[in-house]
Amino acid sequence: MSARPQVSYLTSTSSASSYSSSDSDLSSTSSVRHSMDSTQPIVSVEVLRCLRCARAEEITSTDDPSSMGMVQIGTNIYYCNRCAKMTGYK
Ligand SMILES: [Zn+2]
């Protein structure tokens, strides 16, 4: 007859070893991708002015000047499509 309840304490120490596995994330290069939300591209608005007829076109830094009808003929120098055609740039 076993009238006394058997109380056994199960102390499992094996679950503690899985806690330190997050250290290995630093060495894996694939973990970099989760930071994409915090790095948004900086978009700046620029006004391109035609050198010839002074027509202004607002573009963002992600836009292509040629898609907005502006033709770049030099550093920060633009012609609009019409003037570029007249001067032979296009
Ligand atoms: Zn023009």
Side-chain angles (χ1 to χ4, degrees):
M1 280 193 192
S2 58
R4 276 194 284 180
Q6 278 195 340
V7 178
S8 62
Y9 293 98
L10 294 173
T11 54
S12 65
T13 56
S14 61
S15 63
S17 63
S18 64
Y19 183 76
S20 63
S21 68
S22 62
D23 269 6
S24 62
D25 280 352
L26 291 171
S27 57
S28 72
T29 52
S30 63
S31 65
V32 179
R33 282 189 141 264
H34 67 74
S35 63
M36 276 186 70
D37 284 344
S38 57
T39 55
Q40 288 193 336
I42 302 168
V43 179
S44 60
V45 178
E46 206 176 338
V47 176
L48 305 182
R49 196 175 291 274
C50 174
L51 189 70
R52 201 160 175 271
C53 69
R55 174 187 144 161
E57 199 73 58
E58 256 189 21
I59 69 157
T60 58
S61 55
T62 56
D63 276 335
D64 190 23
S66 60
S67 70
M68 300 298 288
M70 302 299 283
V71 179
Q72 183 168 18
I73 61 170
T75 308
N76 289 328
I77 304 173
Y78 293 89
Y79 274 174
C80 68
N81 252 345
R82 177 194 285 245
C83 293
K85 205 171 284 183
M86 288 177 76
T87 51
Y89 275 104
K90 193 173 181 136

